[in-house]
Amino acid sequence: MLVQRNRVVLTKLRQADLSEAPWWLRVCGRDWLAPFVLVAVCLCLYVPGQMLVPPLDRDEPRFAQASKQMMETGNYVSIHYQEQARNKKPIGIYWLQAGAAKLLGYGRQASIWVYRIPSVFGGIAAVLLTYWMARALFMERAAFVAALLVAFALILNVESRLAKTDAMLLACVMLSQGALLHIWILQQKQARWLPAFLFWAGLASGVLIKGPIILLVCGLTILALILWEKRISWLLGAAPISGFLLFTAVVSPWLLAIYFETDGAFFRDSLGGDLWSKVGAGKEAHGAPPLTHLLLSLLIFWPVPSFLLVFPCRNRQVLNARICRFLLCWLVPVWVVFELSSTKLPHYTLPMMPAFALLAVEGILANGDRPVGTGWRYTSAVLFLLVPLGVLAAVVVVPLLLDVWPSPPGVVLCGFAVVVAVIAARHFLKGAFVRALPAVGGTAFLMFVGFWAFAAPALTPIWISSRLVEAVERIPGCDHKEVTTTGFYEPSLVFLLGTDTKLFGAEAAARFLAEGKPEAERGCRVALIEARQLERFEREALQVGMKVSEVSRVSGVNINGGKNVLVYIFVANGAAQ
């Protein structure tokens, strides 16, 4: 009886559509056109600035460097950052990044933007899969709105621009969760092969991308659903035996290969050293108290929270419907785990962001024509304005703090973003959430393009590695350079200079220069010495009887810690005049 009643509520909600939808939604929200519009929106949001922003320390260049070394060595099983084994994340993202570099013909010479391509595709796939998942719950226009909210989300726009795992992981989560939703809705006691295949394929892909995170998300969702309804028979629709065999067939070859390649060290380091340490202690100074993720989500999930505030105005019947039941089982258990974990980074909660978007749309539908409370509308408008105002303040104030002039196009675009955001806020104040979407999209486009394509590249003081590489390349009389760095060891420098970059102490760097020129014709050795290591370097150079010439120096601010950095560039014996 309960199942039948919930199905009736679900059917009514699926039939409920945005009947008075604006013309653009009636046109773009159709099934045959919506995916193409969503892809176009994502490309406009995620592509600008990809080629202009240098590698962003520290995780992004570590991933890219490890992928580059796979192509250099031909070893596509183990993962290394220079000589150090990188036993943290599985192989999937490295294969995708190396594959992108090879398919485009760049190979090991690829720039950082090439390694970002899988993240762009991951972000687009996550948006399209949100639409597919939402179509199981809503009519086409409402599903289109849900996918747009995910596409506009601040955190997805950031992760789609970084050569990391999280955008692609979100795509895998949406594939598995979307298939699980279809299985859950059907409530059949026999296997549904297509959704079952998609569920297990997404699960296997997610494990190869970022290990057990997707197992946590999907596993806790299933467990919560079983406990809520006290039934497990519906899970037979996922073909658990055949699906598990498929999952094992996809995942186990590399797991076995890496186990024998590293003698089990990968699992000790990734599960015990990396994953468990993040749960038990605030790793790398990223510890924070419970509820931190909840507070952060109000900003990083922008603009979803502004739409979600309509949710408290819903009726109790819909609150108990299968839509909310599934979404809450997806959200609450996993969120609690992340809140209780000691290490907290903003992107950890990304796999739950689409669930908030779906709840927001379902709240708009369920609320119907009833007016939203004044307090909620004002809160929604203010919450929406916070991010564009904050970005505008950042593109103006941060360059001035770094003693550089703000990027004029960046300031203008972000300023226009605030103007358009005010228009969207006026719609929020009227309770016209759907009609606010064009202004929301315009705000997102202007803000992200202004920041990533203009403001961020213009922050030259923070791009220390890029300027060091340019200074090294300008050294006259040296076609081939061997470089060591002391005191400044950022992964972006290694990625840009090359795998052979030596990370030495001050004394070893002096001896490195004293050993003479490389065997290559017109070659020279270069030392990058951070100011705090300069005295030790010069003292060792004096002891070995070597004269050094300072070619140039580069100063800036290290974004990891915000400390001022000054790096001297030396060559031996006055090789550069």
Side-chain angles (χ1 to χ4, degrees):
M1 182 65 69
L2 176 62
V3 173
Q4 183 64 31
R5 185 166 64 251
N6 283 333
R7 284 182 176 175
V8 171
V9 175
L10 175 63
T11 302
K12 289 181 179 179
L13 196 51
R14 287 190 64 183
Q15 291 174 348
D17 202 2
L18 304 170
S19 55
E20 298 183 359
W23 67 268
W24 62 268
L25 185 54
R26 294 196 298 271
V27 174
C28 299
R30 297 186 177 275
D31 278 335
W32 61 271
L33 183 58
F36 298 101
V37 176
L38 290 172
V39 170
V41 168
C42 290
L43 290 175
C44 291
L45 291 173
Y46 305 157
V47 171
Q50 291 280 6
M51 297 184 182
L52 301 174
V53 177
L56 190 62
D57 285 309
R58 293 185 172 109
D59 283 345
E60 181 184 40
R62 283 173 178 159
F63 279 104
Q65 176 61 28
S67 300
K68 180 199 293 188
Q69 288 183 218
M70 284 187 173
M71 292 182 283
E72 291 174 345
T73 63
N75 182 349
Y76 291 90
V77 175
S78 59
I79 307 162
H80 286 84
Y81 174 79
Q82 292 193 303
E83 299 300 323
Q84 181 182 4
R86 184 165 167 77
N87 295 333
K88 291 191 174 184
K89 300 296 184 291
I91 199 69
I93 195 65
Y94 303 101
W95 283 346
L96 292 174
Q97 291 178 355
K102 289 200 166 197
L103 284 174
L104 293 179
Y106 289 96
R108 67 190 69 175
Q109 304 301 322
S111 300
I112 188 63
W113 69 268
V114 177
Y115 296 95
R116 292 168 174 164
I117 290 176
S119 294
V120 175
F121 277 96
I124 296 173
V127 172
L128 293 176
L129 288 168
T130 300
Y131 181 77
W132 168 65
M133 185 178 188
R135 284 295 282 118
L137 303 173
F138 313 123
M139 295 294 284
E140 53 189 9
R141 296 171 187 171
F144 182 67
V145 171
L148 281 179
L149 291 180
V150 172
F152 296 154
L154 173 63
I155 184 64
L156 186 56
N157 276 268
V158 172
E159 293 300 332
S160 296
R161 284 184 165 84
L162 300 178
K164 294 168 57 215
T165 57
D166 296 283
M168 189 58 68
L169 173 67
L170 179 62
C172 296
V173 168
M174 294 308 297
L175 180 60
S176 289
Q177 292 290 79
L180 184 65
L181 175 63
H182 283 79
I183 296 168
W184 167 254
I185 288 175
L186 292 172
Q187 289 283 312
Q188 294 192 2
K189 299 181 181 180
Q190 56 184 0
R192 300 289 298 181
W193 294 111
L194 180 58
F197 171 79
L198 294 177
F199 172 74
W200 290 101
L203 213 61
S205 301
V207 168
L208 288 177
I209 292 292
K210 203 171 181 177
I213 299 301
I214 192 171
L215 300 179
L216 176 72
V217 175
C218 297
L220 288 181
T221 303
I222 292 172
L223 180 60
L225 288 170
I226 292 172
L227 293 176
W228 193 325
E229 289 201 340
K230 300 180 176 61
R231 289 183 301 106
I232 197 174
S233 57
W234 64 271
L235 197 55
L236 295 175
I241 297 177
S242 302
F244 181 75
L245 292 176
L246 171 65
F247 172 84
T248 304
V250 174
V251 172
S252 59
W254 179 76
L255 293 180
L256 291 173
I258 194 63
Y259 177 83
F260 290 111
E261 178 85 7
T262 64
D263 195 24
F266 179 87
F267 296 98
R268 291 193 298 271
D269 294 344
S270 62
L271 297 179
D274 185 56
L275 180 63
W276 183 249
S277 64
K278 290 180 179 178
V279 174
K283 192 174 181 182
E284 298 174 357
H286 297 309
L291 300 182
T292 298
H293 281 306
L294 184 61
L295 294 176
L296 282 176
S297 67
L298 297 176
L299 297 178
I300 65 173
F301 287 176
W302 179 96
V304 176
S306 293
F307 289 83
L308 188 62
L309 288 179
V310 74
F311 186 83
C313 304
R314 55 191 312 105
N315 59 69
R316 293 182 179 273
Q317 183 184 17
V318 178
L319 183 61
N320 197 44
R322 303 193 71 79
I323 295 178
C324 282
R325 187 168 301 187
F326 183 89
L327 295 177
L328 292 176
C329 288
W330 176 2
L331 276 171
V332 176
V334 186
W335 199 278
V336 169
V337 170
F338 283 131
E339 290 287 10
L340 294 179
S341 299
S342 297
T343 303
K344 292 180 175 64
L345 288 172
H347 62 266
Y348 284 3
T349 55
L350 178 60
M352 284 86 81
M353 182 267 294
F356 282 110
L358 293 169
L359 278 174
V361 171
E362 200 253 335
I364 294 173
L365 290 175
N367 203 52
D369 297 328
R370 287 171 297 176
V372 181
T374 303
W376 292 113
R377 285 184 276 125
Y378 273 89
T379 303
S380 179
V382 171
L383 196 59
F384 178 80
L385 287 172
L386 284 179
V387 169
L389 285 172
V391 172
L392 176 61
V395 300
V396 173
V397 174
V398 172
L400 297 178
L401 294 177
L402 296 173
D403 293 325
V404 294
W405 191 251
S407 165
V411 173
V412 170
L413 288 174
C414 291
F416 278 127
V418 172
V419 174
V420 179
V422 171
I423 297 174
R426 293 180 63 186
H427 287 293
F428 286 128
L429 292 177
K430 297 176 182 178
F433 292 92
V434 175
R435 294 187 180 277
L437 275 171
V440 172
T443 302
F445 175 77
L446 292 169
M447 180 173 60
F448 295 137
V449 173
F451 180 81
W452 291 103
F454 297 100
L459 296 175
T460 52
I462 69 172
W463 308 122
I464 301 172
S465 296
S466 300
R467 292 188 291 123
L468 281 172
V469 172
E470 292 174 0
V472 169
E473 290 176 348
R474 289 196 299 266
I475 297 177
C478 294
D479 294 338
H480 173 75
K481 305 174 182 70
E482 292 183 5
V483 184
T484 181
T485 179
T486 296
F488 186 76
Y489 302 120
E490 294 298 336
S492 57
L493 183 63
V494 175
F495 174 78
L496 293 172
L497 281 176
T499 306
D500 294 332
T501 303
K502 308 294 189 299
L503 309 184
F504 286 161
E507 292 80 4
R511 293 192 295 270
F512 172 80
L513 289 189
E515 291 173 359
K517 294 184 178 181
E519 296 180 359
E521 186 177 358
R522 291 178 59 83
C524 62
R525 289 188 170 182
V526 182
L528 312 179
I529 310 298
E530 200 269 331
R532 291 171 296 179
Q533 307 295 324
L534 182 60
E535 183 178 349
R536 292 171 53 200
F537 170 79
E538 291 179 334
R539 184 168 59 248
E540 182 67 18
L542 183 62
Q543 289 182 358
V544 298
M546 178 191 63
K547 294 182 179 180
V548 295
S549 297
E550 179 187 335
V551 178
S552 62
R553 63 185 67 178
V554 171
S555 62
V557 177
N558 192 337
I559 59 174
N560 294 292
K563 295 181 178 180
N564 292 323
V565 174
L566 174 61
V567 180
Y568 297 86
I569 303 176
F570 291 98
V571 295
N573 301 323
Q577 300 295 335

